[in-house]
Amino acid sequence: MPPAQRHPTMADVAERAGVSTSTVSRTLRGLSTVSPEVRARVERAARELDFAVSRQAASLVTGKTGTVAVLVCTLNSWFMGSALSALGPLLRAAGLELNLYVIPDLAERASFFERLPARRNADALLVFSFDLTDEESARLDDLGMPVIYVSQHVDGRPSVYVDDVAGALNGTRHLLNLGHRRIAFIRATGASGFCFSSSERLLGYRQALTEAGLPLDDDLVVATPCADKGGTAKALGELLSLREPPTAVFAQQDEVAVTAIRALRTTRMDVPEQMSVLGFDDHPVADLFDLSTVAQSPWDIGREAGELVLKLIDDPSTDHGQHVILPSHVIPRATTAPLPGPRHQGPEQAGSPQVPAG
Amino acid sequence: MPPAQRHPTMADVAERAGVSTSTVSRTLRGLSTVSPEVRARVERAARELDFAVSRQAASLVTGKTGTVAVLVCTLNSWFMGSALSALGPLLRAAGLELNLYVIPDLAERASFFERLPARRNADALLVFSFDLTDEESARLDDLGMPVIYVSQHVDGRPSVYVDDVAGALNGTRHLLNLGHRRIAFIRATGASGFCFSSSERLLGYRQALTEAGLPLDDDLVVATPCADKGGTAKALGELLSLREPPTAVFAQQDEVAVTAIRALRTTRMDVPEQMSVLGFDDHPVADLFDLSTVAQSPWDIGREAGELVLKLIDDPSTDHGQHVILPSHVIPRATTAPLPGPRHQGPEQAGSPQVPAG
DNA sequence: CTGAAAGCGCTAACAA
DNA sequence: TTGTTAGCGCTTTCAG
């Protein structure tokens, strides 16, 4: 570990190869205007010196930093982990560095937006699931670089997200098709200031009920902090103490769904015999619990976001308002079952009359 | 979104404030040798122009990049997510950028080590859980920056990791203290080239058996790819078809333990009545499954790694061989129980004679 | 196809 | 306390 040996510079390589620094620069950037013989000499010299171009110096003159800034509120989630695991290699393959900003709380957030450290230090910014204020959005607009919103829709700005409305619509239809008529909806509330597509999903749920000719009963919509046992039990309690309790619950995150299943089992309610449970995400835990769910693919989101970034960096004049909307699909597993009772369960009977089976 | 407006430079700020760029530089870096009056003028000008220092240009002259490179094989894990969620804010608070390299497979890895993009572009490198070849280690040694190994012990290099030997020792003791004598060990094998502290844990397991005067039976040590249902079922099958099957299994990752529990339940074996199961990690699913486990804290690892990095950047002459070793502790939950049978279960009976209770 | 020269935006001596 | 000067290591005209 030689403590302070200086890195070789282009001048060192040039000297060793007996050429000018311009030629070294041209060679190393793969410009075709270098004779094969000289190119070979330069490459050998560079290898022998273990030379690496300083991005700092290059940036200074090209004006491009060669890095993409990524803003996340946490990494400690399956969603972020998967999305970034897809994004990272994609950017690297394009020769870009990935600069990560983890902004877990509002204090950090304030300081981030005040200083905007990414400014001047990245060619583009990826914002994951931030519920931005108008002022914050405005600051990002003035950043002087493309800003891509991921896992959230922002009007007039490039964004990549799954169609949550359609996902929730389809999930709810699945439950309707199983004969359920009293279907509860559990929203997962996250840390304040961050968005978790909850409202879009609620929209899809309502849409499904409406198209089935069912009334919207606000008592059936409850909320819980994500993955909070007590909160989920409480939410469940509200539902189970209704005059007319639901026969199915649609939880907006698999982790909440799983917590709900455990709470139900604790009180000896069988899932799905006495209560169907449907999740959203297809989180790994869904498979572990044989949980029926609406799957989305964070990998695809990460990949699409990366490709969009590349496009925008390459050609900033591209239409900035384009959106990439990704699909979701229902995965029926063991926690959703036909509503027991006199009704015959038939597919696509969504429009049938309301007969609460209880 | 003004498409291509140039960023203001220090010269712009200097002009507006009616001072030289040196003064602007001094002011913005908080050097005390600036009169309050001038300082105020400069700060106002900078704010009005929404000026941000270009790290690129600053780096060029200071020789420090102000960024820390982090090498991970995946982000899609609770461990990495938690560790980085702790590390990120810590680095940001110190004014450092976090440059992430996600290297999921051997091909990416080869290209990473060939080009070493972090060279010259970071002040320190954090390596998470990589099982490096000697050649790769040597390349990192020549990187010209401090390299910190995280979640792995590397001789003579600064590293941060939990004491896996002690963790496995204590976990095994817990099972011994419950009266178990036939204790299986399930290793979790990851992607090749990455290390998951499996061997240290095996060591601790063996140590516990030895100190209890029990023989080491290789038939009781099986392996499975992490979180692979089929693999885990197969490994379990090997154990259950032994002449003298185990009464407890110690799985080296909670995710494997949970998969094992599901497989056992599928075959109508009760946990813990007929088989105790102990995990390692205290992954969130452990709580969900009421899994007894040996807990480690990736948050602490991330934090300690961050603090060590800061120290080494600040003073590279610090002893490079220092290690930070973090503790683990057993969390008994619902999947470990005393061995049923004639024996009385007493605490700390580890040294008692070998009486396989079968 | 190659080299000389200029300069990217900043910091670090050194003077004043 | 402030300004002047000289680069940091690279890319980019522009000549040759």
Side-chain angles (χ1 to χ4, degrees):
Chain A
M1 227 167 326
Q5 100 187 340
R6 290 197 61 64
H7 289 289
T9 73
M10 237 176 211
D12 299 323
V13 178
E15 188 186 352
R16 181 175 254 260
V19 296
S20 71
T21 59
S22 322
T23 301
V24 175
S25 173
R26 283 192 277 256
T27 305
L28 265 29
R29 277 177 301 147
L31 300 195
S32 52
T33 61
V34 180
S35 74
E37 187 221 355
V38 171
R39 167 174 297 277
R41 271 218 317 281
V42 170
E43 278 169 350
R44 197 161 66 84
R47 207 174 326 108
E48 286 168 354
L49 292 174
D50 202 26
F51 170 77
V53 174
S54 157
R55 262 184 210 280
Q56 330 291 332
S59 307
L60 198 53
V61 32
T62 60
K64 318 231 80 193
T65 63
T67 92
V68 171
V70 176
L71 192 58
V72 301
C73 53
T74 179
L75 278 174
N76 195 12
S77 83
W78 162 77
F79 183 91
M80 286 301 174
S82 306
L84 288 188
S85 291
L87 180 66
L90 197 152
L91 293 182
R92 246 178 51 65
L96 293 169
E97 309 274 320
L98 163 25
N99 232 150
L100 192 63
Y101 296 96
V102 185
I103 312 289
D105 56 45
L106 290 167
E108 296 263 3
R109 183 165 165 169
S111 93
F112 177 86
F113 276 95
E114 201 203 346
R115 317 204 68 267
L116 282 188
R119 187 166 23 139
R120 294 261 254 144
N121 297 301
D123 297 337
L125 174 65
L126 243 35
V127 180
F128 273 80
S129 307
F130 272 76
D131 187 17
L132 299 177
T133 64
D134 287 347
E135 195 188 349
E136 287 168 341
S137 296
R139 293 231 45 179
L140 295 187
D141 285 345
D142 287 340
L143 213 42
M145 65 179 83
V147 178
I148 293 94
Y149 294 87
V150 187
S151 193
Q152 62 184 309
H153 167 100
V154 179
D155 253 358
R157 306 279 173 274
S159 10
V160 178
Y161 52 92
V162 305
D163 190 342
D164 282 302
V165 179
L169 174 67
N170 289 330
T172 311
R173 277 184 184 155
H174 168 57
L175 294 171
L176 287 166
N177 290 341
L178 288 171
H180 295 280
R181 288 299 171 270
R182 294 286 291 170
I183 300 172
F185 183 95
I186 310 185
R187 335 179 42 145
T189 61
S192 84
F194 305 106
C195 70
F196 289 103
S197 5
S198 225
S199 39
E200 277 76 17
R201 293 181 186 172
L202 182 57
L203 225 58
Y205 158 81
R206 291 204 164 123
Q207 208 169 305
L209 294 185
T210 302
E211 80 179 14
L214 294 176
L216 300 178
D217 183 347
D218 282 344
D219 288 343
L220 288 175
V221 178
V222 295
T224 174
C226 168
D228 169 339
K229 271 189 199 177
T232 304
K234 183 159 158 281
L236 224 41
E238 293 175 30
L239 295 174
L240 297 179
S241 56
L242 286 178
R243 195 167 193 288
E244 211 178 309
T247 61
V249 304
F250 187 6
Q252 288 324 289
Q253 286 190 218
D254 286 344
E255 290 165 283
V256 171
V258 161
T259 309
I261 290 175
R262 292 199 64 213
L264 288 168
R265 291 201 177 134
T266 301
T267 59
R268 300 270 178 262
M269 281 193 69
D270 291 329
V271 174
E273 289 76 9
Q274 299 174 57
M275 181 76 81
S276 280
V277 177
L278 179 65
F280 205 118
D281 280 348
D282 200 26
H283 187 288
V285 79
D287 183 41
L288 244 26
F289 275 82
D290 251 337
L291 174 70
S292 301
T293 194
V294 181
Q296 64 169 325
S297 168
W299 291 87
D300 290 346
I301 293 180
R303 192 171 34 70
E304 293 288 345
E307 279 165 8
L308 186 52
V309 158
L310 259 33
K311 225 183 294 173
L312 287 174
I313 286 180
D314 192 53
D315 174 17
S317 70
T318 310
D319 177 18
H320 277 214
Q322 64 188 271
H323 293 324
V324 178
I325 305 179
L326 295 164
S328 59
H329 58 277
V330 174
I331 300 186
R333 283 196 271 242
T335 59
T336 46
L339 180 68
R343 293 187 73 261
H344 291 85
Q345 183 260 324
E348 307 302 328
Q349 300 213 354
S352 50
Q354 316 160 27
V355 184
Chain B
M1 227 168 329
Q5 98 188 340
R6 288 196 63 65
H7 289 290
T9 74
M10 239 177 212
D12 299 324
V13 179
E15 189 187 350
R16 180 176 256 257
V19 296
S20 70
T21 60
S22 321
T23 301
V24 175
S25 173
R26 283 191 279 255
T27 305
L28 266 30
R29 277 178 300 150
L31 300 195
S32 52
T33 61
V34 180
S35 75
E37 188 220 353
V38 171
R39 168 175 297 278
R41 269 217 322 278
V42 171
E43 277 169 350
R44 197 162 65 83
R47 206 172 331 107
E48 286 169 355
L49 292 173
D50 204 26
F51 170 79
V53 174
S54 156
R55 264 184 210 278
Q56 330 291 330
S59 308
L60 198 53
V61 34
T62 60
K64 319 231 78 190
T65 63
T67 92
V68 171
V70 176
L71 192 58
V72 301
C73 54
T74 179
L75 278 175
N76 196 12
S77 84
W78 161 78
F79 183 91
M80 287 298 175
S82 306
L84 289 188
S85 291
L87 180 65
L90 196 152
L91 293 181
R92 245 178 52 65
L96 293 169
E97 309 274 318
L98 163 26
N99 230 145
L100 192 64
Y101 296 96
V102 185
I103 312 289
D105 56 46
L106 290 167
E108 296 263 2
R109 182 165 167 169
S111 92
F112 177 86
F113 276 95
E114 202 204 346
R115 318 203 69 266
L116 282 188
R119 187 166 23 138
R120 238 128 122 37
N121 296 302
D123 297 337
L125 173 65
L126 242 35
V127 180
F128 272 81
S129 307
F130 272 75
D131 187 17
L132 298 177
T133 64
D134 287 347
E135 196 189 349
E136 286 168 342
S137 296
R139 294 233 40 180
L140 295 188
D141 285 346
D142 287 340
L143 212 42
M145 65 178 83
V147 178
I148 292 95
Y149 295 88
V150 188
S151 194
Q152 61 184 310
H153 167 100
V154 178
D155 254 358
R157 305 278 173 275
S159 8
V160 178
Y161 53 92
V162 304
D163 190 342
D164 282 302
V165 179
L169 175 66
N170 289 331
T172 311
R173 278 182 184 156
H174 168 58
L175 294 170
L176 287 165
N177 289 341
L178 288 172
H180 295 278
R181 289 298 172 270
R182 295 285 291 169
I183 301 172
F185 184 95
I186 310 186
R187 334 179 40 146
T189 60
S192 83
F194 304 106
C195 69
F196 288 103
S197 8
S198 225
S199 38
E200 277 76 17
R201 294 181 186 174
L202 183 56
L203 224 58
Y205 158 81
R206 290 204 166 123
Q207 207 168 306
L209 294 186
T210 302
E211 79 179 14
L214 293 175
L216 300 178
D217 183 348
D218 282 346
D219 287 344
L220 287 175
V221 178
V222 296
T224 173
C226 169
D228 169 336
K229 271 190 198 177
T232 304
K234 183 158 158 284
L236 224 41
E238 294 175 30
L239 296 174
L240 296 180
S241 56
L242 287 178
R243 194 168 194 289
E244 213 178 308
T247 61
V249 303
F250 187 5
Q252 288 323 288
Q253 284 189 218
D254 286 344
E255 290 165 282
V256 171
V258 160
T259 309
I261 290 175
R262 293 199 63 213
L264 288 168
R265 289 199 176 136
T266 301
T267 59
R268 300 270 177 261
M269 281 192 71
D270 290 330
V271 175
E273 288 76 9
Q274 299 174 57
M275 180 76 81
S276 280
V277 177
L278 180 64
F280 205 118
D281 280 349
D282 200 26
H283 187 289
V285 316
D287 184 40
L288 245 27
F289 275 82
D290 250 337
L291 174 70
S292 301
T293 194
V294 181
Q296 64 169 324
S297 168
W299 290 88
D300 289 346
I301 293 181
R303 192 171 34 71
E304 293 289 345
E307 278 164 9
L308 185 51
V309 158
L310 258 33
K311 225 183 294 175
L312 287 173
I313 287 181
D314 192 52
D315 174 16
S317 71
T318 309
D319 177 17
H320 276 215
Q322 63 188 271
H323 293 324
V324 178
I325 305 179
L326 295 164
S328 59
H329 57 277
V330 174
I331 301 186
R333 282 195 274 242
T335 60
T336 46
L339 180 67
R343 292 186 75 261
H344 290 85
Q345 183 261 324
E348 305 305 327
Q349 300 213 354
S352 51
Q354 316 161 26
V355 184

